């Protein structure tokens, strides 16, 4: 009998013999093996048919079966599937175990739907709470992502506490536009701005012609508390992220926070304490009389001898960066639920000192997630999060005034005595600032007060045997008030009017952000008689962004006061940003018996950032996955999955706010107000960037998924690249925002996960991933241009047709040549977790091979004769002069000494834990404790690199555009060592 | 079922509301657009544009003075954070001037920024409400063109034989680079046009200027400033007769205050700028300007211009193999005004223009300047090029002349070389972004 016929007979029997049917029901309860609670939403399908149901909120199910014996398949995302052979109508209770292998996870493929990973046509990376925070407590969310996703490069901009990270997926996706991914937490679009604190007023860093912000602010995704997160999923390119349309070109990070489960309230308390310490200090130059005389003149020799003979040579680097910062991290969460309501509540407090005195990071986060079953078919979820964070970041990075601690340190020699006497700091006789005074008196604080809330309503409008219809409505709000305070008291050497200072600076900024997003979807499921499943979704989305920032910079502070009204002079800058986007989305998924899974969809978006605000831009997608192992001609004991997949998608990046207008800003001269052009020529023809990505790959699961291999090749083209093109300055403008050309990224991602050994006492799970990316500017309508650093003399990025988008060029005796490339040759990560009885050891190595930085720190120390390797002879090919003189001799001749290999191998995370046994727990506190876990963990404990500074992972210009990896006297990065205790009640 | 209906209704309404949505333009929230300014300005807006022009003239001026002052070996510009002031500008070792670095592109772009701002004024004034009278239009044009000519001249000083663009009114369609002589001619013509406009400009400008123009704030007196500039340009052209005729209509005054002139103004008001050429005494390597030692050693004894413009440091300072004991101390405070042109220069121009034809007049003029510096008269009949070069060096120290002077006298080879492989540059390369 053909399947179709048997199905018809079955339907026939249902219609005409209802009584018989009832008597042939299988009923039962599905239970969660981890907590023995009922498991709602589990799929129960009669194998080989489309007959099936899902378990209700109490885990109960009923299936009608006409013909015995049958095999029932029980499955649920995140759980191991189970098959049970049933001989006759009966009660069948099943317990599903949480899955340990990646292939049975679900991934989100639509704005309102998800799909089994084994059916996904994209390589979608996802990690669970365990992998995110289980090894060691991270400082910030993005800091927890290091090395954990293939194809995603996470790097810190500096070691300053409180974050400041850049996340890049599958290479450079934009040169001037947004290059950071879109973050979505429980459906709420999360603002990830970096807002400058106005330090530039003092540092003058941008005065050298570099328009980039070198204030090194944090980025606001740091606010999200990693402890609350259940799962993170990364859509790396347009082929997966097309559904997010015009905001998805740099990838999408989808975050799901923890939710309560029905049952007893569970309480978890985690306490971590530890310290942070610089990973690598450079040390002092090996001074002697002759060297001091050569570099600092005859007059300095006596000071040097005096200090040396009295043991007063001071290592100011160690003085500044040698602190051990104390870390204290507490979090408590409770979750549970009753008949209709479930909840998760968490509160956490993080208090972390930096390796420089008076720097640190403090964050308190409170979360309440509520789920409410309104009826059997309607569910409402509301997630709310309040965050208060404060970071003190010190005064670092580039300057043009010799005032930042970093730059000033380069000219601070060890025989200087800069320590305060009775609270009075002596002026540094050889520099513009006394580093100790700057450290002790300058305030650079960022405070954020943020509220994020989102709600979603899921309603089953219709549920039948063959089809169902769901409505999903979501709304989200992300609002914060961000306050910066940069205070430079009048008493500072460089603020003192006697030294030409302006009498103190108080720069205070307030930025208000109010972003909202709304969406509504209908999802329709229909399964034909031949087991072809159609899932149709249709929805509309709306996002509003509103930002208003005011920065007041006051100079001439009166008697130690920092209030703006108590200063002699004030300057106010207001910057507003408003963007409204509107979009729709249609997607059709076809699934033929889990054998062929095809998807087509299109997103349409319009935005007020476009010249024509009501013009719709369309972003299509299509994908196909074939589970070869399900096709029937394949029977292998060893290989249990083989999936071939191909996906194509497009995504966009709208021009930034104000790209199409030429505007004036205000000026004042001698009491006469005026207006002046801002230097950017508006472009009425500016269009969005468009990314087109094709992804091919295969997944193999072997030995019952104990070994999994994912291989992906992608080719990602970005058309109509938006850049702030330099235009002829004689036009009176310096730049114009234009669509100039195309860029292509090609890459390979390979992930291997395996459980080589597994017994009751010992198990070993390992993940190895490898990825590489190569970019090329395939078309450029403007002449090649330099961007993103300090000019060809010192090495600069250069956008040039036919060349890598991240090439670093510079002068040389043969003219301007390529000295390097910021793109790594490849990256690898090795994640391992081992369990022996009650001990758990997990660690993550991250290896970046190749990729160059522009390192100007050593140049600055060379110029001041203070480089630690000034007299070491290993750079000069002639072997004649020390590294310092050699590098200096190349200044203006070749940029080669400033372009350095930034490879590294580091132990990103390691954690060793002991879980108390049940026998022990029984005897503690009357047996009320469910679990106790204790252990040590660390971050960046091993760092191997041959790079002449603190850390090859650095960025003077923050996360924007391509100019990461430029170093100018940053805040040194640090390692962390923690003791953790976790108690479950 | 009731609840379900409610949900259905909400969802349906939501979908309906979305689909009927259109977006309204947001516009630029952060400033007026150039189109608005050109097409519909008020007289008050023109005042703001003038204020903007006067402000723009100061942008990157410090870099300009460093460029010409360091290459002209007037002083060293130390910087602990940027090595290029002591390497590229002085031609250390094999270092050369980069065509895509701030010292080339910064001042160049800023001067053209002023030219653009002045062009917008010229475009906007016919369309204002209420309208301007013909006299007022003429006065504004004379002002705008004079400023443009001055700004172009500064850029030409940097580029010399590489030339500049003169016609830059349309950003999409820029005029060609003209050679040095042609550029000078164009600047001269622009100044003459402006002078004609100013003559027809009535008795008052329909806008206010800063205190830097306190003696030159009517079309008539502003024209004297214009003619002063014309005299300088004529001297660059080697046209002594032209110098003298322009001086005749300028504020040149042998008996007058040497410091009378037109100035850039600075203040500590919020949003205003500080004098970029003010340097505190005994400043550190972070940003100090150290007098090139020969300025001290070459001076005649008791030349008051040396102590007036320099300061003996408590201790010498060394950076990058350059050492000096004197700070540049040309300005007293960080809000002191910087001259664009002043009577002392006009007197020196007068001396130079008369050097061959009327040596007596040249001598008189030179003695005015010398006496003011506490020095005695020159020996009769001794005013020659050396004398002009010396007096200009000390009278106009750190005001952006030395390098230009030595170049036009073809004496760049006489400038001191501090380190064996240093070079004295003749001119700056055309900025890379000009796409030449």
């Amino acid at each position: 009998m053909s399947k179709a016929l048997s199905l018809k007979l079955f339907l026939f029997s249902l219609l005409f013999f209802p009584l018989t049917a009832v008597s042939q029901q299988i009923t039962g309860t599905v239970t969660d093996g981890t907590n023995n609670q009922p498991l709602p939403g589990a799929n129960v399908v009669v194998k080989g048919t489309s007959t099936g149901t899902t378990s209700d909120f109490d885990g109960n199910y009923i299936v009608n079966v006409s013909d015995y014996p049958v095999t029932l398949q029980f499955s649920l995302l995140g759980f191991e599937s189970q098959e049970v052979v049933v001989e006759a109508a009966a009660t069948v209770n099943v317990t599903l175990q949480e899955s340990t292998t990646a292939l049975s996870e679900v991934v989100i493929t639509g704005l309102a739907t998800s799909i089994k990973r084994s059916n996904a046509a994209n390589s979608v990376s996802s990690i669970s709470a365990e992998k995110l925070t289980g090894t060691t407590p991270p400082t910030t969310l993005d800091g927890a992502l290091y090395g954990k996703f293939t194809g995603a490069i996470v790097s810190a901009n500096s070691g300053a506490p409180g974050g400041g990270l850049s996340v890049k997926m599958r290479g450079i996706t934009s040169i001037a536009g947004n290059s950071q991914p879109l973050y979505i937490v429980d459906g709420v679009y999360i603002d990830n701005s970096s807002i400058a604190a106005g330090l530039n007023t003092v540092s003058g860093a941008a005065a050298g012609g570099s328009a980039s912000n070198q204030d090194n602010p944090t980025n606001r995704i740091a606010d999200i508390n990693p402890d609350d997160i259940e799962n993170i999923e990364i859509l790396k390119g347009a082929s997966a992220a097309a559904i997010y349309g015009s905001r998805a070109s740099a990838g999408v990070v989808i975050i799901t926070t923890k939710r309560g489960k029905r049952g007893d309230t569970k309480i978890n308390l985690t306490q971590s304490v530890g310290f942070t310490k610089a990973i690598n200090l450079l040390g002092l130059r090996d001074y002697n009389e002759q060297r001091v005389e050569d570099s600092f003149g005859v007059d300095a020799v006596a000071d040097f001898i005096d200090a040396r003979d009295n043991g007063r040579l001071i290592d100011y680097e160690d003085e500044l960066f040698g602190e051990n910062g104390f870390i204290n991290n507490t979090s408590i969460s409770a979750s549970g639920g009753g008949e209709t309501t479930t909840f998760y509540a968490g509160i956490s407090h993080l208090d972390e000192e930096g390796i420089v005195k008076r720097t640190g990071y403090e964050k308190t986060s409170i979360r309440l997630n509520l789920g409410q079953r309104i009826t059997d078919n309607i569910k409402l979820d509301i997630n709310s999060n309040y965050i208060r964070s404060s970071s003190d970041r010190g005064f670092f990075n580039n300057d043009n005034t010799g005032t930042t601690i970093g730059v000033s340190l380069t000219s601070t020699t060890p025989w200087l005595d800069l320590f305060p006497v009775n609270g009075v700091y002596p002026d540094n006789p050889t520099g513009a600032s006394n580093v100790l005074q700057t450290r002790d008196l300058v305030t650079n604080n960022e405070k954020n007060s943020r509220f994020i809330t989102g709600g979603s309503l899921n309603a089953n409008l219709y549920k039948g045997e063959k089809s169902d219809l769901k409505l999903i409505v979501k709304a989200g709000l992300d609002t914060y008030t961000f306050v910066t305070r940069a205070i430079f008291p009048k008493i500072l050497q460089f603020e003192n009017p006697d030294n030409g200072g302006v009498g103190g600076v108080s720069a205070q900024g307030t930025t208000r952000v109010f972003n909202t997003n709304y969406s509504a979807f209908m999802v329709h499921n229909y399964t034909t008689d031949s087991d072809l499943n159609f899932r149709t979704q249709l929805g509309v989305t709306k996002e509003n962004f509103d930002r208003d920032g005011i920065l007041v910079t006051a100079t001439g502070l009166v008697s130690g006061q920092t209030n703006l009204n108590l200063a002699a002079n004030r300057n106010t800058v207001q910057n507003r940003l408003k963007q409204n986007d509107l979009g729709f989305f249609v997607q059709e998924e076809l699934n033929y018996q889990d054998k062929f899974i095809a998807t087509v969809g299109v997103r349409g978006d319009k935005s007020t950032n476009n010249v024509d605000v009501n013009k719709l831009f369309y972003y299509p997608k299509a994908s196909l996955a074939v589970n070869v192992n399900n096709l029937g001609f394949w029977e292998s004991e060893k290989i249990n999955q083989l999936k071939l997949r191909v996906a194509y998608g497009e995504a966009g990046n709208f021009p930034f706010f104000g790209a199409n207008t030429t505007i004036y800003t205000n000026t004042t001269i001698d009491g006469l107000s005026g207006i002046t052009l801002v230097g950017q020529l508006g472009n009425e023809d500016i269009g969005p960037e468009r990314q087109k990505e094709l992804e091919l790959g295969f997944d193999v699961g072997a030995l019952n998924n104990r070994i999994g291999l994912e291989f992906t090749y992608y080719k990602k083209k970005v058309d109509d690249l938006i850049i702030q093109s330099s235009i002829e300055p004689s036009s009176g403008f310096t730049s114009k925002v234009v669509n100039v050309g195309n860029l292509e990224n090609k890459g390979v991602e390979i992930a291997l996960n395996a459980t080589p050994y597994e017994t009751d006492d010992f198990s070993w799970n390992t993940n190895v991933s490898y990825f590489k990316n190569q970019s090329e500017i395939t078309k450029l309508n403007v002449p090649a241009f330099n961007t993103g650093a300090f000019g060809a003399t010192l090495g600069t990025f250069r956008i040039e047709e036919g060349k890598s988008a991240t090439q670093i060029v510079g002068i040389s005796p043969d003219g301007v040549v390529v000295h390097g490339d910021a793109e790594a040759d490849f990256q690898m990560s090795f994640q391992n977790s081992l369990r022996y009885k009650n001990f758990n050891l997990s660690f993550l190595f991250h290896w970046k091979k190749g990729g160059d930085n522009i390192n100007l720190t050593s140049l600055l120390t060379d110029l001041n004769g203070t480089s630690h390797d000034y007299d070491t002879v290993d750079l000069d090919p002639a072997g004649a002069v020390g590294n310092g003189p050699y590098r200096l001799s190349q200044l203006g001749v070749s940029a080669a000494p400033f372009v350095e290999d930034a490879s590294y191998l580091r132990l990103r995370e390691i954690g060793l834990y002991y879980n108390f046994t049940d026998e022990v727990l029984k005897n503690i506190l009357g047996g009320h404790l469910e679990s106790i876990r204790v252990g040590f963990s660390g971050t960046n404990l091993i760092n191997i690199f041959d790079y002449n500074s603190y850390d090859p992972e650095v960025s003077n210009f923050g996360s924007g555009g391509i100019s990461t990896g430029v170093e100018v006297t940053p805040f040194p990065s640090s390692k962390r060592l923690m003791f953790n205790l976790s108690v479950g009640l | 079922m009731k609840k379900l209906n409610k949900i259905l209704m909400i969802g349906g309404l939501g979908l309906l509301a979305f689909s009927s949505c259109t977006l309204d333009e947001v516009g630029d929230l952060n400033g007026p657009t150039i189109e608005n300014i050109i097409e519909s300005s008020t007289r008050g807006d023109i005042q703001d544009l003038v204020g903007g022009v006067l402000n723009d003239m100061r942008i990157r001026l410090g870099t300009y003075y460093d460029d010409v002052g360091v290459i002209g070996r007037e002083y060293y510009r130390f910087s602990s954070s940027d090595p290029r002031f002591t390497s590229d500008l002085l031609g250390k070792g094999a270092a050369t001037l980069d065509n895509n670095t701030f010292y080339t592109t910064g001042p160049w772009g800023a001067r053209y920024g002023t030219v653009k701002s002045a062009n917008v004024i010229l475009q906007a004034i016919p369309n204002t409400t209420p309208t301007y009278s013909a006299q007022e239009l003429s006065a504004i044009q004379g002002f705008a063109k004079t400023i443009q000519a001055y700004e172009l001249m500064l850029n030409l000083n940097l580029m010399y034989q590489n030339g500049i663009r003169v016609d830059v009114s349309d950003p999409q369609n820029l005029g060609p680079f003209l050679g040095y002589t042609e550029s000078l001619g164009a600047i001269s013509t622009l100044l003459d046009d402006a002078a004609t406009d100013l003559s027809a400009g009535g008795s008052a400008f329909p806008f206010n200027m800063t205190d830097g123009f306190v003696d030159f704030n009517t079309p008539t007196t502003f024209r004297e400033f214009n003619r002063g500039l014309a005299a300088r340009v004529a001297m660059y052209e080697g046209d002594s007769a032209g110098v003298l005729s322009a001086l005749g209509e300028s504020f040149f005054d042998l008996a007058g205050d040497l410091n009378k002139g037109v100035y850039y103004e600075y203040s500590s008001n919020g949003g205003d700028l500080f004098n970029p050429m003010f340097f505190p005494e005994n400043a550190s390597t972070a940003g100090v300007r150290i007098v090139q030692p020969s300025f001290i050693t070459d001076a005649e004894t008791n030349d008051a211009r040396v102590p007036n413009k320099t300061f003996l440091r408590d201790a010498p300072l060394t950076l990058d193999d350059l050492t000096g004991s004197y700070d540049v101390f040309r300005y007293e405070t960080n809000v002191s005004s910087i001259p664009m042109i002043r009577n002392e220069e006009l007197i020196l121009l007068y001396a130079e223009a008369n050097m061959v034809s009327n040596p007596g007049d040249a001598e008189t003029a030179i003695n005015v300047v010398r006496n003011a510096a506490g020095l005695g008269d020159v020996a009769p009949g001794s005013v020659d090029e050396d004398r002009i070069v010396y007096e200009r060096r000390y009278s106009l120290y750190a005001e952006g002349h030395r390098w230009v002077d030595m170049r036009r006298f073809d004496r760049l080879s006489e400038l001191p070389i501090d380190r064996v492989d240093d070079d004295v540059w003749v001119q700056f390369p055309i900025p890379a972004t000009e796409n030449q």
Side-chain angles (χ1 to χ4, degrees), chain A residues 800 803 807-810 816-821:
Chain A
E800 192 173 358
K803 301 287 175 62
Q807 65 168 341
I808 298 171
V809 304
V816 173
V817 299
V818 176
H819 287 295
D821 195 314

Side-chain angles (χ1 to χ4, degrees), chain A residues 11 58 162 468 588 669:
Chain A
L11 286 172
D58 297 318
D468 59 60
E588 182 71 41
I669 169 168

Side-chain angles (χ1 to χ4, degrees), chain A residues 208 432 569-570 576 661 676 790, chain B residues 28 30 56 84 102 268 270 284:
Chain A
N569 317 293
R570 279 163 296 278
R576 290 194 290 158
T661 51
T676 187
F790 299 99
Chain B
D28 202 301
N30 297 312
D56 292 351
R84 291 168 291 190
F102 68 94
S268 59
S284 68

Side-chain angles (χ1 to χ4, degrees), chain A residues 850-861:
Chain A
D852 298 302
N853 276 9
I854 299 174
N855 177 5
L856 301 180
T857 301
S858 53
L859 173 65
L860 294 183
T861 53

Side-chain angles (χ1 to χ4, degrees), chain B residues 290-306:
Chain B
I290 294 289
V291 178
Q292 209 284 339
S294 70
F295 182 77
I296 308 294
T297 53
D298 290 351
E300 290 178 35
T301 320
N302 298 327
D303 190 333
R305 290 171 292 194
V306 174

Side-chain angles (χ1 to χ4, degrees), chain A residues 207-208 399 431-432 499 502 540 569-571 576 614 661-664 667-668 670 674-676 728-730 786 790 863 892, chain B residues 18 23 28 30 32-34 48 52 55-56 60 81 83-84 95 100 102 120 165 168 268 270-272 274 280 284 286 434:
Chain A
D399 82 358
N499 294 331
V502 297
V540 287
N569 317 293
R570 279 163 296 278
N571 185 38
R576 290 194 290 158
N614 279 309
T661 51
T662 308
I663 60 164
Y664 279 87
T667 64
T668 172
D670 194 24
I675 53 174
T676 187
E728 293 86 350
S730 52
N786 296 346
F790 299 99
L863 281 167
Chain B
F18 274 119
L23 295 172
D28 202 301
N30 297 312
T33 63
I34 194 169
D48 289 340
N55 172 73
D56 292 351
R60 301 312 294 258
S81 49
R84 291 168 291 190
N100 203 10
F102 68 94
V120 174
R165 286 189 217 269
V168 291
S268 59
D272 205 342
F274 290 110
S284 68
E434 289 294 344

